[in-house]
Amino acid sequence: MKTVTIIGSGNVAYHLYKAFSLAENILIQQVVARNKSALETFVSPDKLCTNFEEVVDSDFIIIAVSDNAVEKIAGLLKNFKGIIVHTSGATSLGVLNKHENHGVFYPLQTFSKSREVVFQDIPICIEANTKHNHLELNELACTISGNVQRVNSSQRRQLHMAAVFANNFSNHLFYLGGKICAENQLSFSILKPLIKETVDKLEVLSPYEAQTGPAKRNDQNTLEAHLSILESDLHKDIYTLLSQSLQETYGKKL
Amino acid sequence: MKTVTIIGSGNVAYHLYKAFSLAENILIQQVVARNKSALETFVSPDKLCTNFEEVVDSDFIIIAVSDNAVEKIAGLLKNFKGIIVHTSGATSLGVLNKHENHGVFYPLQTFSKSREVVFQDIPICIEANTKHNHLELNELACTISGNVQRVNSSQRRQLHMAAVFANNFSNHLFYLGGKICAENQLSFSILKPLIKETVDKLEVLSPYEAQTGPAKRNDQNTLEAHLSILESDLHKDIYTLLSQSLQETYGKKL
């Protein structure tokens, strides 16, 4: 049996709490955050802690707070023997190096509290300060995921940025597509089969092979027609730059 | 039994041929294109036609060619009684108005020849010059899809642009995410569970609700860190504009 302390009350803390609660041979000892009402929505009362002076040592102390608070929170944990990890894609391993045992436990996923996720497929990117701690973290990650990968700090920073392109920005494009629909008395649901196929295609084709559309085929008439009906200058600029990037990718000139 | 003539040899013609070949009470009489070798890859020899003077009239003549060729191809069809339709999102109904019976039959999907699609869920957006022709087109569309919608030319033009955002551009962002992975000795497959969840989330959340990431939470440190490691100026500009659009959407200031 391994023990875990989770620090944080946000989306990642919530989903890790859910996942480790169901994992075999894992005991969550505490979930710690200053925001009691946020903790109360998901943590059982006996594990809830709002006082950082009362944080207990565990085999693993998982700091799942916003990136800019990681170092400060870690600084509150004096003389802990457990492996102290953060869950941030954008933060290096080094911010924890005042601690004897430390590492990174970065689940590569988009988390919202209102949406349950299945951890089994989620890549958990781990990094540790010693080989022994790496093995320990690997074992911990394997209790909730079948997709554990060793990723160093430099790779993880790049991977986090890749995830911003692949998830944050693509979701925003779905939003912009839906906005255009709504402004024209069409339901967002009309785009859903297209969006679903966009992703389903990636089971058999690379994004390079799956690409279709006017920019790829260098259809200037359609590109100009779209730019003429887009109302927002910002959206025009986004349309132009993404079309330009597509044309570069497929060796076409604007 | 209704008869169909398909003009074209590209992705849309190919997939419509496949779908109508399996539809009940539909007989494809001909598939017509100048490019014989393209037709030979999917059309049975008895239906193949490469001479536009030999095009037969059918209940429906579907012009599935590139947008800028629609009008010219339609001009070759003199005194046809069937309903002549095009399949273009970006082209108005009006380009066919020299023909007694005409309409639009726009399947809203991304088509690649190497990827089979299930038409049942694909929205078919139809428009016609008369009520009778609308009913006929509706009946035709229902033989292959359970999602037939009446969409006028102005709406369709906007919908086509929305589809460019939701599919073409988001797929390109998947490509850019994969490129960043490849440049850092990581496989594109590490992003796939994230990409899948990005779309699966839309079953229960709107894109507005599903959004996560540094731009939404106005995390300037991460935005600046990402911009500092992006190498291409074009990709930096794309990152900046999409972050700006996200911040506007969530009421944050850059």
Side-chain angles (χ1 to χ4, degrees):
Chain A
M1 176 70 71
K2 297 281 185 178
T3 54
V4 170
T5 297
I6 296 173
I7 301 177
S9 62
N11 293 339
V12 177
Y14 168 84
H15 285 286
L16 287 177
Y17 175 80
K18 289 271 191 178
F20 283 122
S21 295
L22 300 172
E24 279 184 27
N25 297 317
I26 296 291
L27 173 70
I28 299 176
Q29 301 204 97
Q30 263 184 345
V31 186
V32 188
R34 292 230 167 75
N35 186 340
K36 189 175 182 188
S37 58
L39 288 182
E40 281 175 338
T41 61
F42 66 96
V43 182
S44 64
D46 58 307
K47 298 180 191 300
L48 191 153
C49 170
T50 57
N51 183 345
F52 276 87
E53 295 186 357
E54 293 170 7
V55 180
V56 296
D57 205 350
S58 285
D59 294 314
F60 303 97
I61 300 95
I62 303 177
I63 303 176
V65 301
S66 60
D67 295 359
N68 53 19
V70 170
E71 202 165 356
K72 190 181 134 208
I73 295 290
L76 301 174
L77 310 174
K78 310 275 190 212
N79 305 313
F80 275 50
K81 294 289 165 207
I83 305 176
I84 298 175
V85 299
H86 71 67
T87 59
S88 165
T91 307
S92 74
L93 176 69
V95 302
L96 299 177
N97 65 12
K98 288 181 191 150
H99 302 275
E100 183 182 339
N101 300 302
H102 62 276
V104 179
F105 189 95
Y106 171 50
L108 180 58
Q109 191 50 283
T110 166
F111 295 109
S112 299
K113 279 190 182 162
S114 52
R115 162 85 181 161
E116 295 305 314
V117 295
V118 180
F119 258 83
Q120 193 53 34
D121 299 325
I122 297 178
I124 311 267
C125 305
I126 60 171
E127 186 180 12
N129 69 320
T130 67
K131 192 173 176 185
H132 175 260
N133 288 341
H134 175 81
L135 292 173
E136 290 287 316
L137 275 182
N138 187 65
E139 207 174 308
L140 176 73
C142 286
T143 66
I144 58 171
S145 169
N147 187 354
V148 182
Q149 306 208 22
R150 188 172 197 158
V151 173
N152 67 34
S153 287
S154 160
Q155 286 176 310
R156 195 178 58 257
R157 197 180 305 119
Q158 296 277 351
L159 181 57
H160 183 246
M161 182 170 66
V164 166
F165 279 88
N167 164 267
N168 298 174
F169 291 163
S170 64
N171 183 72
H172 187 57
L173 294 174
F174 300 153
Y175 167 79
L176 293 179
K179 194 161 175 282
I180 294 166
C181 286
E183 288 164 356
N184 291 279
Q185 294 75 53
L186 293 162
S187 160
F188 174 62
S189 65
I190 199 170
L191 289 177
K192 282 192 180 176
L194 174 67
I195 289 172
K196 187 170 182 303
E197 173 67 6
T198 306
V199 170
D200 288 351
K201 262 181 150 180
L202 301 181
E203 287 167 23
V204 293
L205 300 173
S206 69
Y208 184 88
E209 296 164 326
Q211 189 67 50
T212 57
K216 182 191 175 184
R217 61 176 189 267
N218 209 25
D219 174 351
Q220 293 295 339
N221 290 340
T222 299
L223 297 180
E224 282 163 26
H226 284 167
L227 285 172
S228 75
I229 57 173
L230 269 172
E231 285 176 16
S232 145
D233 284 341
L234 180 54
H235 299 164
K236 274 185 212 278
D237 289 345
I238 289 171
Y239 189 101
T240 300
L241 284 182
L242 285 167
S243 296
Q244 196 180 331
S245 181
L246 271 164
Q247 290 175 307
E248 274 193 17
T249 302
Y250 292 92
K252 307 277 166 58
K253 291 257 165 134
L254 262 182
Chain B
M1 178 68 73
K2 297 281 185 176
T3 55
V4 170
T5 297
I6 296 172
I7 301 176
S9 62
N11 292 340
V12 177
Y14 168 83
H15 285 286
L16 287 177
Y17 174 80
K18 289 270 191 179
F20 283 122
S21 296
L22 300 171
E24 279 185 26
N25 296 317
I26 296 291
L27 174 69
I28 299 175
Q29 300 204 98
Q30 262 184 347
V31 186
V32 188
R34 292 230 167 75
N35 186 339
K36 191 177 181 186
S37 59
L39 288 181
E40 281 173 339
T41 61
F42 65 96
V43 181
S44 64
D46 59 308
K47 298 181 192 298
L48 191 153
C49 170
T50 57
N51 183 346
F52 276 86
E53 294 186 359
E54 293 171 7
V55 180
V56 295
D57 205 350
S58 285
D59 294 314
F60 303 98
I61 301 94
I62 303 176
I63 302 176
V65 300
S66 60
D67 296 358
N68 53 19
V70 170
E71 201 165 356
K72 190 180 134 210
I73 295 290
L76 302 173
L77 309 174
K78 310 276 191 210
N79 303 314
F80 275 51
K81 294 290 164 208
I83 305 176
I84 297 173
V85 298
H86 70 67
T87 59
S88 165
T91 307
S92 74
L93 176 68
V95 302
L96 299 176
N97 64 12
K98 287 182 189 147
H99 302 274
E100 184 181 338
N101 300 302
H102 62 277
V104 179
F105 190 95
Y106 171 51
L108 179 59
Q109 192 50 284
T110 166
F111 294 109
S112 300
K113 277 187 182 164
S114 52
R115 163 83 181 163
E116 295 304 313
V117 294
V118 179
F119 259 83
Q120 192 54 32
D121 299 325
I122 297 177
I124 311 267
C125 305
I126 59 171
E127 186 180 12
N129 69 321
T130 66
K131 191 173 175 182
H132 175 261
N133 288 341
H134 175 81
L135 291 172
E136 291 287 316
L137 276 181
N138 187 65
E139 206 173 310
L140 176 73
C142 286
T143 66
I144 58 172
S145 170
N147 187 355
V148 181
Q149 306 209 23
R150 188 173 196 156
V151 173
N152 67 35
S153 287
S154 160
Q155 287 176 309
R156 196 177 57 257
R157 196 179 307 118
Q158 297 276 353
L159 181 57
H160 183 246
M161 182 170 67
V164 167
F165 279 88
N167 164 266
N168 298 174
F169 290 164
S170 63
N171 183 71
H172 187 57
L173 293 174
F174 300 154
Y175 168 79
L176 294 179
K179 194 161 175 283
I180 294 166
C181 286
E183 288 164 358
N184 291 279
Q185 295 74 53
L186 293 162
S187 159
F188 174 62
S189 66
I190 199 171
L191 289 177
K192 282 192 180 176
L194 175 67
I195 291 173
K196 187 170 182 301
E197 173 67 5
T198 307
V199 169
D200 288 351
K201 262 184 151 178
L202 302 181
E203 287 167 23
V204 292
L205 300 173
S206 70
Y208 183 88
E209 295 163 328
Q211 188 69 50
T212 57
K216 182 191 175 185
R217 60 176 189 267
N218 209 23
D219 175 351
Q220 293 295 339
N221 289 341
T222 300
L223 297 180
E224 282 162 27
H226 285 167
L227 285 172
S228 75
I229 57 173
L230 270 172
E231 284 176 15
S232 145
D233 285 341
L234 180 53
H235 299 165
K236 274 186 211 279
D237 289 346
I238 289 170
Y239 189 100
T240 301
L241 283 182
L242 285 167
S243 295
Q244 196 180 330
S245 182
L246 270 164
Q247 290 174 307
E248 275 194 14
T249 301
Y250 292 93
K252 308 276 166 59
K253 292 256 163 132
L254 262 184

